[in-house]
Each structure stands twice: as structure tokens, then as C-alpha cells.
Amino acid sequence: MSSRIDELLKNQVRQAAKDGRKFNIVGGGSKAWLGRDSDGETLDISQHSGIADYDPRELVITARAGTPLQIIEDTLAESGQMLAFEPPYFGEYATLGGTIACGLSGPRRPYAGSARDFVLGCKLLNGKGEIMRFGGQVMKNVAGYDVSRLMAGAYGTLGVLLELSLKVLPRPASSVTLCHESNPNDAIQLMSGLLSKPLPVDGSCYYKGQCYIRLSGSKQSVIDAQKKLPGEVLSLRSQFWERLREHELSFFDNDKPLWRIVVKPASKPLPLEGEWLLDWGGAQRWLSSDASVETIRKIAQQFGGYATLFRGADRTGEVFQPLAQPLQLLHQRLKTSFDPDAIFNPGRMYAEL
Amino acid sequence: MSQPTSDKKDHLIQAFRRLLPAEAVLSETEDLRPFECDGLSVYRRLPMLVVLPDSIEQVQSIMRICHEAKVPVVARGAGTGLSGGALPLENGVLLSLAKFKQILNIDPQNAMATVQPGVRNLAISEAAAAHNLYYAPDPSSQIACTIGGNVAENSGGVHCLKYGLTVHNILQLKIVTVEGELITIGGETLDSPGYDLLALMTGSEGMLGVIVEVTVKLLPTPERAQVVLAAFDDVAKAGEAVGAIIAAGIIPAGLEMMDKLAIQAAEDFVHAGYPRDAKAILLCELDGTNAEVSEQIMIVRDVLMESGATEVRTAKDETERQIFWKGRKSAFPAVGRISPDYYCMDGTIPRSQLPLVLRRMSEMSDEYNLPVANVFHAGDGNLHPLILFDANQPGELERTEEFGRRILELCVDVGGTITGEHGVGMEKIDQMCVQFQSAELSQFHAVKAAFDPEALLNPGKAVPTLHRCAEFGAMHVHKGQLPHPELERF
């Protein structure tokens, strides 16, 4: 079944290369608004769906890229396992391929690792219409360059992901969220400090004067850790972390452009006007602001970080932080090495890719 | 490539001497000798020249000089690699990063450290210990191996299942390109804009750039670590137990397996208190909070007993924990005492295939009449079979290498890989033709060309040419199928 669809996609790509046509790769379309506007005919991979292999004892799941993320997570949950990077869906029809191509990770990222950290292997269709396999289904594999992790966050500009193998982990037995009143400085100090403490923390966030800390692990270890940290237990019904992950908290209900600013976690509050939400222990900061692109990028860089125009404003400009010259050249050469005719997602990431 | 003329060599010596002090440019045979091999000493070759810079600017100038003269460059850290990745080229310059030994910054607030590439792996954890932090990847050569080499090889260790490989534990690299340009990859942040070049650089075996600075992630030292030792009267039962521990929802910090020959060698060497009559032992390390470790020890003990362990022992204190580990960590030198030579393999397999692979290896051991001691990172399926041989016996090295090749091909056949953590280097270059098809190998070459269009960085390693695979395939028909059938045969 899959090989027939593989062949179809392969032929479509080979024909497009001949005809000079471009493709916009689409799974469930849940993240179409992310990145820059990109034209090109739709290359639909949603039919390319299904779990190919999953043995809980191996801690690995292999599925076709069009498989709905929900099906992956439901299947893992049945065996008490999970995708530990807590991927955002941003829509009902999110697929595995789109999740990895966009490389987004949820609140657990600083403690468990990112989407790319859990990629073990992939099947990829490059711009020459060649189907290739990189990595594999094992935890440790250093044969050849790490092409499969390179695909995470490449926004489909290097090729069409056909199949992915990801490492999975057991779900924690117990989880509790603590909430206390705080101010930005104190919250940053506490949250970033927790990154260096041997406590079972797997989420920390600050906004609107409240600091939220999630503890997960064995029941007793969560109870013990609770005694060492400030705050009242937050009801599970609040679904705080899911709503944070999906940008459904009231903070995100805003017409101003939404910026994602990544800095060293202990960085002091950045001197930028607007509303802030701090996630990832202070390492990922969301800013809702009308400040100019130049100002935001300049301040983010002064703090050793970078800024992405995540949602809203002009999607034809530089949405991602522009790259320094030698790096930009390297990106163009790499793009050409995978997709010489620039068929896939032209301009989705950077105008020149 | 043309043979180096003495003119070219003289020209380079002069150019390097203008740049570096006299003792940092080596050209006499006796001075070159210490650089002729890495940890895989069956491959030896003298470089044309060795240079030992101590600043990034010097590395940039060296690369510019070599680039202009079209001379290949092989970068080298401590030379502890096990795949011949740092094997010099006789017409090339060996660029030693040995003088880059400084820890530049430890930042406990942000749990990261910035170090020069020649800093030893263990030195990072030692320096971070004052802040109750450590650097997680711990290859067994960690006393000697350097972080630059760890990045180039994507080194692992015994804690990979829980804490990942080098790629999961670094944040930023500074590299000097083949043209001598300094670029920063990644950032002091959890991610950075653009393609994930950090992943691409890690494990690229010196083929894409020269690493001149590394920023690593540090982790909090766990509140408690405890190790459980279990003995088995059957290797297959030990293999089953590994899967059962994982199925119980536990991710051990380390899960190691040794077979009888390895147990006995280690026991004779360091007296770790291992049961000498066992067919296999498992060492299962659990770390985390006090409560978590206590709970997991109980679960693991039960699972091990149910899996048919003949004995289960928990280290009674930190001293005993260290002794249990000492046996495992000295397994390689211990085997070195009982055999004139040994050859260490490095395949990875899906854990479920462990019993089959062990049986097949035992059959091959009989077939080649060469004993094998098995040491595994069982938790992540990474095998280190040690083939015992005597290089002074005519034909034994060749038999050993063939046996080794067949083990790697077996790993590929069961869905695994030819190398889990040691790298391809020179050693496994032909087995790359078994694991990858032409399109993939061509893609690797295209990636290399994006960084190094004239193939001057460590050429001839890690990725075979299609021509080489065709020749290898002609000698070696795999499963009745000729690999790369589309290629002309020469």
C-alpha cells in the first residue's frame, strides 16, 4: 500500500522537476499559517497514513508521515507511553510529518528533549525523486550523516518526509501542578534555577503574575518534591499545560503579532513593550507586541537569543531570524544538495531557500 | 590526488613556521610517529606534516594555507577513536587540537559550559561538580578522550538510553570551515534559527568542518544512583530481562550486559565480585530522586527474579556501586589480558533481536575458531563483541576482520546498524555499502560537497565512493543480490 503511494509521489516529483513546477507539502494543514507564505501546488500526503511498527519494549514507533498525531499518541497511551516532547497540534488534523517538519516542542522540552531529539530515522523523498532511508529504528546509530534529525524543523524545504521512527518514553506515573503568585524576576530565578536541581520538574511557566510548576514521576517522588516548592496544587481540570501547548490560554487570544523569543533561561526580563508569557523555565518567551521587527530582533540578539515572528503580521517578510552570511550560504548549498530544482516549499522558511 | 612533492611539503613547512612556533610544526619521521594511528592501531600511516595550533586564528590560517595548496587535512583530538577516523593521510596535514585545553566558562545559572575542543570529557564533569552539575555522555575512554572528538563521533557511553548521545547534550559549536571561515552553529539557547546544522555536524567525523569550541548542556547530579546486579544461567534469559525492565515502564540510567568470558576476564582483573559461574550478568543502574530510586529498585528486583535471574544483588553502598561499575568499565583491558589481541565491534540492533544475534555470533565464533567476549549496552541494543585473536598467527587478523564484517552485516540484516557509537572512519567504510543504497550515499556526498566541495576534510573516511561499493559488491554478494547493480563494474 505504502509503496504504491511512494511511487505516485516519486513520479509527481520527477514530473515537477521536469516541468519546473513547485510543491507546497501538506499533511493535515494544521500549521499552514506557520512560517512564510509559500506558493506551489498542494502535494497532499494525508493518504500516506498508518503505523508501520510499534513494539513498546523497543521504545520506538515507526509510522508514515501522514498519520494523524492523535492516532500516534492514542496508540502510545494504550501502552502507557508517550511522545515526550509534548508536540503542539494546532489543529485536529495535525500529522506526524508536519509535527517533525515544523520541529515544535511543548512544555516538557527543556526537561525531556525536543522533537528532533526523539527522531531516530526517516524515509525521505528528495527533489530528484529519490526515496532514501536515513537513521533507523535503534537508539544509537552513527553510520552516515544525521540526515533524519536535519529534517526536524526544516519545514519541508529539503524533501518530503514519507516515514518516521521516533523514540518514545513511558508516561510518568503521577503528575501535579503547583501555582503561586510571583513577579517576573523572581519567577525567572526560580524556574531557571530548577534546571540545575535534581527535582522531577517537567514544566514551568510564568504569566499574569502566576508561576506554574509541573512535577512528574513516581507518586512518592512527586509528593516529596511538592514539599520543596512553593504553590498550591492546581486542579487537573484546568488543563493548563494542554492549553499552554495549544496556545489556548487567554494570553494567546490577542490580535497583536505573536513573537517567539528564545534566550538563555536565566536572562532577565527583556526590555520590550508588550505582554509576556514565559515557558520552558524561562528559555522560551512569548511576546505579544506591536514593537518593530528591528527592535525585537535587536533586543533578542543583545540577550544572546533570537526571535521568530510566530503568528500574525506580514507573512511575506523575514518571519525567521535572518542568518549571518556564511551560514546563509551554507543553507543554500544544503538546500540545493537535497532539492536542486527548488521544488519543495519554496520560500516557506527563508526567501532564498 | 597527486603525490606530494617535497617542494609542496617545504612550501607548507615554511608557511606554517611563519604562523606557529617551531615546535608546533612537526615534519621529521620520529616526531610524526605518535600520530600514525588512533585507538584502532591496525591501521597506521604517517602524515606529511603535523601542526599543533593553540588559537582559533591559527586554525583559520592553517585551513586557508591548506585550502590554497589543495592539501587535505585530518583533524585529531586525543586519538582514542576506535574506527580509524583520525588516521592520517600521507599527502595530508594532521591538525592536532591537543593544545585547546581550556574550560572557557561554566554557567551554572543556565546549566551550560563552554570549552575548547581538546578538553577531556571527564574534565567537564569534574569542573561542573562544584555546582552539582555534570556532563552526561560518558564514553569508556572518558578519562582521555576529548570533547571535540566526542562531537565528531557523536560518542555515547553507558547512560545513553536515559540521557542521550553527544547530539542530545550540546548546544553550540564554533567550527572553522575548509576555507578558513569561522562560523557558529546552534546557540546558547535550546534551539536556533535555520536548519539543524548542530545535528548534522555531530557525528560527521571531521568531514564537514574543524570544531574549535563546544558549548555543552549540563545536568543536575541526581540525588541518588543505585545499581542492581543480576546473574543468569542463560544469555537469552538476560536478554529477555532487558525488555521486561523497559516494559515495566522503567528507563534505567544504565543497563549493561556481559557474557561469561567477559565476566571472568573482568573478575580476574579487578575482582568486582561478579559471579564467576554465571552465563551472563546485567548491571542495572537507576538514578533520580531518593523516592524514585527506592521504588524502581523494588520493581527491577521483581522483574529480574521473574525473568529467571539466579541471583539479584543491590550494591550496599557507593563503594560497592563503584566496584560493580569498575568491572564493566575495565572489561576491554581485562579481555586484553587474556588474549594477545582483540577486535572490538560496535553494531546496534533492536533489543528484541538480541537472543538471535547472540546465537548467530556464537555459531560464527565456532566457524572461525575465534572466541568472542560480549559486552553490551543492552538498554539501547548497542553490542560490543570483542573478538579474541593473535595477530602474530598468520591469517588470524584476516579471519578476525571477516568475522567482524559478518557480525556487522548481521546487525544490518536484523534492522540495526553497523555502528552505534564508534563511527565508520576507515574501519567500516565497506559495510556502509551494505547499510546504504546508492541514492543515500550520493546524498551524503552532496551534503559533504555543500561544506567541502573539493573534499579536503578527512577525505576517504566515513562515506564510501560508489565506485568503492561496486568493487566491494563484486567481491561480496549480499543475500544473492548484487548491490548497486546500476553501476558499471570495472
Side-chain angles (χ1 to χ4, degrees):
Chain A
M1 184 64 187
S2 127
S3 69
R4 191 178 59 81
I5 300 176
D6 281 357
E7 286 303 307
L8 266 168
L9 288 170
K10 192 164 102 176
N11 292 334
Q12 269 178 286
V13 167
R14 288 192 172 172
Q15 195 57 45
K18 272 191 208 142
D19 303 346
R21 281 154 47 219
K22 310 286 176 201
F23 283 127
N24 181 22
I25 309 164
V26 178
S30 58
K31 299 171 191 69
W33 50 272
L34 258 178
R36 300 176 74 251
D37 288 344
S38 167
D39 40 86
E41 302 162 41
T42 297
L43 187 68
D44 182 2
I45 61 144
S46 62
Q47 297 306 306
H48 203 63
S49 173
I51 293 170
D53 196 10
Y54 172 48
D55 174 358
R57 287 186 174 218
E58 296 289 336
L59 296 175
V60 178
I61 190 162
T62 299
R64 289 184 266 285
T67 311
L69 190 55
Q70 192 68 61
I71 290 185
I72 304 270
E73 293 214 295
D74 290 349
T75 304
L76 294 174
E78 281 169 25
S79 297
Q81 296 186 335
M82 63 176 184
L83 296 176
F85 59 100
E86 229 177 343
Y89 282 65
F90 293 137
E92 204 182 331
Y93 301 107
T95 61
L96 178 63
T99 297
I100 297 304
C102 296
L104 303 178
S105 308
R108 198 182 282 105
R109 190 268 172 259
Y111 316 95
S114 62
R116 85 72 134 129
D117 286 339
F118 289 91
V119 172
L120 296 176
C122 73
K123 186 158 85 170
L124 180 77
L125 173 62
N126 71 6
K128 291 189 266 185
E130 295 167 332
I131 292 177
M132 304 174 291
R133 282 182 182 277
F134 298 101
Q137 293 180 289
V138 290
M139 299 293 152
K140 273 173 154 179
N141 184 357
V142 294
Y145 303 122
D146 197 344
V147 172
S148 38
R149 286 194 182 96
L150 179 66
M151 294 303 134
Y155 283 87
T157 57
L158 297 176
V160 185
L161 288 168
L162 298 175
E163 190 178 282
L164 285 151
S165 295
L166 301 187
K167 179 181 175 181
V168 301
L169 286 178
R171 300 172 80 82
S174 161
S175 187
V176 160
T177 297
L178 299 175
C179 175
H180 72 280
E181 252 179 61
S182 187
N183 62 63
N185 279 304
D186 290 350
I188 289 169
Q189 206 182 349
L190 174 70
M191 294 192 301
S192 62
L194 288 175
L195 292 168
S196 321
K197 297 238 163 48
L199 290 170
V201 176
D202 74 341
S204 62
C205 167
Y206 171 82
Y207 90 118
K208 289 190 175 164
Q210 299 288 322
C211 183
Y212 301 81
I213 295 167
R214 183 173 64 185
L215 300 163
S216 299
S218 76
K219 200 165 180 192
Q220 191 57 45
S221 96
V222 169
I223 292 170
D224 291 352
Q226 242 173 287
K227 294 175 194 152
K228 296 175 185 164
L229 291 166
E232 299 296 317
V233 174
L234 191 73
S235 160
L236 273 177
R237 273 179 315 208
S238 73
Q239 295 196 309
F240 178 78
W241 301 101
E242 290 86 340
R243 286 161 59 221
L244 168 61
R245 188 191 73 199
E246 296 303 323
H247 288 191
E248 286 166 359
L249 295 172
S250 60
F251 169 85
F252 296 99
D253 191 8
N254 193 317
D255 291 335
K256 290 183 182 166
L258 178 68
W259 288 86
R260 174 179 182 264
I261 298 175
V262 182
V263 287
K264 285 194 257 190
S267 304
K268 291 198 161 36
L270 273 59
L272 284 167
E273 286 299 316
E275 283 201 64
W276 289 91
L277 182 148
L278 279 47
D279 192 5
W280 291 8
Q284 174 178 256
R285 302 180 183 189
W286 299 98
L287 170 66
S288 174
S289 171
D290 282 325
S292 76
V293 173
E294 294 73 25
T295 308
I296 290 175
R297 293 233 151 99
K298 199 178 90 193
I299 301 280
Q301 277 183 306
Q302 277 171 10
F303 279 74
Y306 77 99
T308 307
L309 180 52
F310 200 78
R311 211 189 269 267
D314 178 15
R315 309 308 294 178
T316 60
E318 292 294 6
V319 163
F320 297 100
Q321 180 102 18
L323 302 169
Q325 187 38 244
L327 261 187
Q328 190 191 7
L329 187 65
L330 208 47
H331 274 67
Q332 283 172 294
R333 288 193 197 157
L334 263 179
K335 162 81 176 172
T336 307
S337 80
F338 283 91
D339 181 17
D341 299 308
I343 296 172
F344 299 127
N345 289 6
R348 179 81 187 261
M349 211 176 169
Y350 291 101
E352 67 276 8
L353 294 184
Chain B
M1 199 153 307
S2 62
Q3 280 299 102
T5 62
S6 60
D7 277 0
K8 196 170 208 171
K9 184 171 171 177
D10 291 343
H11 160 78
L12 284 172
I13 292 173
Q14 278 175 21
F16 292 147
R17 289 242 161 100
R18 278 194 291 274
L19 190 69
L20 302 167
E23 70 274 10
V25 184
L26 310 179
S27 60
E28 299 300 323
T29 303
E30 63 268 31
D31 297 331
L32 301 177
R33 192 66 70 193
F35 299 90
E36 69 178 350
C37 67
D38 62 11
L40 183 67
S41 58
V42 293
Y43 295 103
R44 289 172 192 271
R45 200 191 278 147
L46 287 177
M48 174 168 63
L49 290 171
V50 173
V51 286
L52 296 124
D54 65 5
S55 74
I56 291 177
E57 294 73 22
Q58 288 175 356
V59 173
Q60 290 182 270
S61 300
I62 290 165
M63 292 310 297
R64 282 191 209 109
I65 292 166
C66 292
H67 185 245
E68 194 171 320
K70 308 291 171 223
V71 171
V73 177
V74 178
R76 175 189 169 104
T80 56
L82 293 172
S83 58
L87 181 72
L89 294 164
E90 59 198 6
N91 61 346
V93 168
L94 187 96
L95 173 59
S96 166
L97 280 310
K99 291 188 175 175
F100 286 78
K101 282 187 174 158
Q102 282 186 46
I103 293 178
L104 301 171
N105 184 32
I106 303 256
D107 177 358
Q109 270 76 40
N110 292 295
M112 60 178 78
T114 299
V115 303
Q116 291 188 323
V119 169
R120 292 174 304 112
N121 172 296
L122 189 60
I124 302 175
S125 290
E126 286 169 350
H131 307 284
N132 281 320
L133 296 168
Y134 77 111
Y135 174 64
D138 60 342
S140 25
S141 56
Q142 71 178 145
I143 309 170
C145 64
T146 58
I147 189 71
N150 287 180
V151 174
E153 301 294 325
N154 194 11
S155 303
V158 299
H159 292 109
C160 294
L161 182 64
K162 186 163 179 181
Y163 295 107
L165 296 111
T166 303
V167 70
H168 302 105
N169 288 280
I170 60 173
L171 295 167
Q172 177 180 285
L173 296 175
K174 285 191 180 160
I175 67 163
V176 173
T177 66
V178 70
E179 292 101 353
E181 210 152 5
L182 180 66
I183 59 175
T184 301
I185 281 174
E188 290 180 323
T189 42
L190 287 179
D191 49 45
S192 48
Y195 294 144
D196 199 331
L197 300 184
L198 201 61
L200 195 59
M201 281 303 300
T202 311
S204 63
E205 304 197 17
M207 307 275 289
L208 305 181
V210 178
I211 297 155
V212 292
E213 192 186 291
V214 185
T215 301
V216 304
K217 189 171 89 176
L218 300 173
L219 297 180
T221 309
E223 198 172 76
R224 182 174 163 205
Q226 183 63 281
V227 65
V228 178
L229 184 156
F232 291 86
D233 57 8
D234 177 2
V235 182
K237 281 186 200 164
E240 282 293 315
V242 170
I245 291 171
I246 307 284
I250 287 172
I251 304 293
L255 187 51
E256 298 289 307
M257 183 167 158
M258 293 164 73
D259 73 358
K260 187 165 187 172
L261 195 48
I263 295 166
Q264 291 181 346
E267 195 49 29
D268 290 342
F269 186 32
V270 298
H271 313 292
Y274 294 167
R276 294 184 59 90
D277 52 346
K279 288 279 174 54
I281 60 166
L282 284 181
L283 287 175
C284 179
E285 177 150 294
L286 303 160
D287 71 8
T289 62
N290 207 1
E292 192 119 44
V293 173
S294 300
E295 187 183 298
Q296 293 191 344
I297 284 179
M298 301 310 289
I299 298 172
V300 165
R301 287 185 65 96
D302 287 350
V303 169
L304 289 166
M305 293 310 289
E306 280 165 29
S307 303
T310 52
E311 184 192 353
V312 179
R313 254 192 270 162
T314 306
K316 61 180 184 295
D317 53 25
E318 181 58 21
T319 312
E320 194 173 41
R321 184 179 85 92
Q322 294 293 350
I323 292 172
F324 281 0
W325 275 115
K326 193 176 177 194
R328 164 62 187 89
K329 291 203 169 182
S330 39
F332 289 14
V335 167
R337 290 169 75 237
I338 59 169
S339 171
D341 300 283
Y342 70 86
Y343 190 36
C344 173
M345 310 308 296
D346 173 46
T348 304
I349 56 168
R351 275 183 298 269
S352 59
Q353 301 291 338
L354 198 56
L356 170 77
V357 170
L358 286 172
R359 197 176 63 240
R360 288 286 301 121
M361 282 202 297
S362 159
E363 287 163 13
M364 284 193 267
S365 171
D366 293 342
E367 185 183 329
Y368 287 98
N369 192 24
L370 293 166
V372 179
N374 279 303
V375 181
F376 309 138
H377 303 303
D380 41 41
N382 186 195
L383 315 175
H384 290 315
L386 306 171
I387 305 173
L388 278 49
F389 72 105
D390 181 355
N392 288 328
Q393 298 298 319
E396 272 210 12
L397 175 62
E398 291 72 22
R399 250 175 37 240
T400 302
E401 288 186 317
E402 191 187 314
F403 183 7
R405 283 196 291 273
R406 284 187 58 196
I407 292 177
L408 297 186
E409 286 160 24
L410 173 63
C411 291
V412 175
D413 282 347
V414 301
T417 174
I418 58 172
T419 175
E421 57 182 0
H422 294 170
V424 174
M426 212 48 236
E427 180 201 20
K428 304 177 201 79
I429 195 144
D430 287 332
Q431 278 63 50
M432 284 291 281
C433 313
V434 179
Q435 186 161 340
F436 293 101
Q437 305 296 313
S438 301
E440 290 139 3
L441 294 171
S442 298
Q443 186 64 65
F444 288 147
H445 288 298
V447 167
K448 160 107 173 140
F451 286 80
D452 176 21
E454 293 164 283
L456 294 174
L457 287 167
N458 212 8
K461 314 273 178 65
V463 184
T465 60
L466 297 185
H467 179 70
R468 185 179 178 119
C469 285
E471 287 196 336
F472 175 71
M475 296 181 298
H476 176 98
V477 178
H478 184 65
K479 280 184 168 173
Q481 283 178 331
L482 203 59
H484 312 282
E486 71 282 14
L487 292 176
E488 286 181 59
R489 306 287 153 168
F490 298 94

